[in-house]
Amino acid sequence: MQRYLGEILLVITAIIWGSGFVASAVSLEYYTPYQILAGRFMIGAILLTILFHKKLKKLNKSSLIKGAILGVFLYLAFALQTVGLQYTTPSKNAFLTAVNVVFVPFIGFLFYKRKIDMFEMIGAVMAVIGVAVLSLKISTEINIGDLLTLCCAVGFAFHIFYTARFVKTEDPVVITIVQMMVAALIGWIVVIFRGEISFSLETEGVMNLLYLGVFSTTIAYLMQTVAQKYISETKAAIILSTESFWGMVFSVIILSEVMTLKMIIGAILILLAIIISETKFSFLKKKVEELT
């Protein structure tokens, strides 16, 4: 039952992140990318501290270090993605970010000699192909933006992997609060260093930044951290890769983007990736056993 709860929470997280594409696009009309990062993580840190301040009694050296590690990975991944987007196309940026789903199982294998589940690996590769079909426009050119985005994918892969590892021994809420505080601190240091301390107070910009802070950051990352207590990191990465599918859905609904055959095929591939990693074709095995 806990596994299904974890999967449901991750699906909701992916839906929220998908809707965040629209909010991010609007926010960029009013704020710099670094202001958005600092703002959303600060909102997350403040809200989580207010809501769960009693949980901070459980804060100890171990949870502080682990939360800080996640916070550094989180900010670096977002920053690399943001900078990479300035030099490459949004479709390539979305695709290369999603490659993190393939990196996750290899982190466990390389650093902890953990056996790679072949069904989850097949699902991971299929998810990446699905995202490619969904968002990628054919181009063979590789530039600095693509390389930075690929580094961002590595950052997100480490974040997903170590979130799964750390929540086994730490309170998920406590390490979520710590990682938000650390990411916010880094974010504000960068904003001040870059001299971007003048923030727009126009209603549309503020509302979209609040949406990113409350939903895409506070609620989504809290749910991701709690969910990963009950689900493997590779399966978590596959489910979270549906973010690109939900981004497409909200773009069609809110921004009136035209639905194409390519989008539908990409969505089907991502769905098949989840089915393969979730079931490991156990339903086919049962059918064969019944027939024999």
Side-chain angles (χ1 to χ4, degrees), residues 12-292:
I12 297 170
T13 299
I15 293 171
I16 293 172
W17 283 349
S19 67
F21 280 117
V22 177
S24 293
V26 177
S27 296
L28 283 167
E29 295 175 16
Y30 298 91
Y31 307 105
T32 70
Y34 298 100
Q35 286 178 325
I36 292 171
L37 292 182
R40 67 186 291 177
F41 290 131
M42 183 185 73
I43 292 167
I46 292 170
L47 282 179
L48 288 169
T49 303
I50 291 170
L51 292 171
F52 301 104
H53 61 276
K54 290 181 180 178
K55 285 270 190 180
L56 290 175
K57 291 176 183 176
K58 295 182 180 179
L59 184 65
N60 54 39
K61 186 179 178 181
S62 176
S63 57
L64 189 61
I65 291 170
K66 290 172 183 175
I69 290 169
L70 292 180
V72 171
F73 280 136
L74 188 62
Y75 186 84
L76 284 177
F78 268 107
L80 287 165
Q81 183 186 48
T82 303
V83 177
L85 187 55
Q86 295 175 340
Y87 301 100
T88 189
T89 62
S91 62
K92 265 191 178 182
N93 189 262
F95 165 67
L96 290 170
T97 299
V99 172
N100 77 76
V101 74
V102 174
F103 291 151
V104 170
F106 284 105
I107 293 172
F109 176 74
L110 292 172
F111 290 92
Y112 299 97
K113 300 292 185 272
R114 187 178 297 176
K115 187 180 176 183
I116 295 175
D117 184 304
M118 287 313 298
F119 287 102
E120 289 189 348
M121 194 65 222
I122 291 167
V125 172
M126 189 171 283
V128 171
I129 295 170
V131 173
V133 173
L134 194 69
S135 62
L136 200 59
K137 291 174 183 173
I138 297 171
S139 171
T140 54
E141 184 186 342
I142 296 174
N143 57 38
I144 186 65
D146 299 329
L147 295 174
L148 288 170
T149 308
L150 202 56
C151 290
C152 126
V154 175
F156 279 123
F158 272 99
H159 181 268
I160 291 169
F161 180 84
Y162 279 104
T163 296
R165 191 170 178 83
F166 293 161
V167 292
K168 298 291 188 289
T169 55
E170 305 295 338
D171 187 299
V173 176
V174 173
I175 61 173
T176 304
I177 294 172
V178 175
Q179 74 169 316
M180 286 299 147
M181 287 179 171
V182 171
L185 178 62
I186 298 170
W188 280 101
I189 289 171
V190 172
V191 163
I192 293 167
F193 181 76
R194 291 176 60 85
E196 299 174 354
I197 53 176
S198 178
F199 275 71
S200 169
L201 295 176
E202 289 190 45
T203 305
E204 188 176 34
V206 171
M207 292 304 292
N208 279 279
L209 184 58
L210 280 172
Y211 181 86
L212 289 173
V214 174
F215 291 94
S216 295
T217 306
T218 309
I219 296 173
Y221 276 101
L222 180 60
M223 287 197 296
Q224 180 201 344
T225 309
V226 171
Q228 286 199 244
K229 198 175 182 73
Y230 310 112
I231 190 169
S232 77
E233 59 272 14
T234 304
K235 195 177 288 183
I238 292 169
I239 295 172
L240 291 173
S241 74
T242 63
E243 170 191 0
S244 55
F245 164 73
W246 294 110
M248 174 205 75
V249 171
F250 284 105
S251 293
V252 170
I253 295 170
I254 300 172
L255 301 179
S256 302
E257 190 173 326
V258 179
M259 176 81 78
T260 65
L261 178 62
K262 195 161 77 84
M263 289 178 176
I264 294 168
I265 294 170
I268 291 169
L269 286 169
I270 293 171
L271 179 62
L272 285 172
I274 293 171
I275 292 171
I276 290 168
S277 66
E278 175 64 27
T279 65
K280 305 184 193 299
F281 294 120
S282 58
F283 58 94
L284 291 177
K285 290 175 188 173
K286 286 178 183 175
K287 278 277 185 186
V288 171
E289 286 171 7
E290 287 172 7
L291 291 170
T292 54

Side-chain angles (χ1 to χ4, degrees), residues 1-23:
M1 193 65 197
Q2 288 178 330
R3 191 193 77 190
Y4 292 127
L5 174 64
E7 290 170 355
I8 290 166
L9 288 175
L10 288 175
V11 169
I12 297 170
T13 299
I15 293 171
I16 293 172
W17 283 349
S19 67
F21 280 117
V22 177

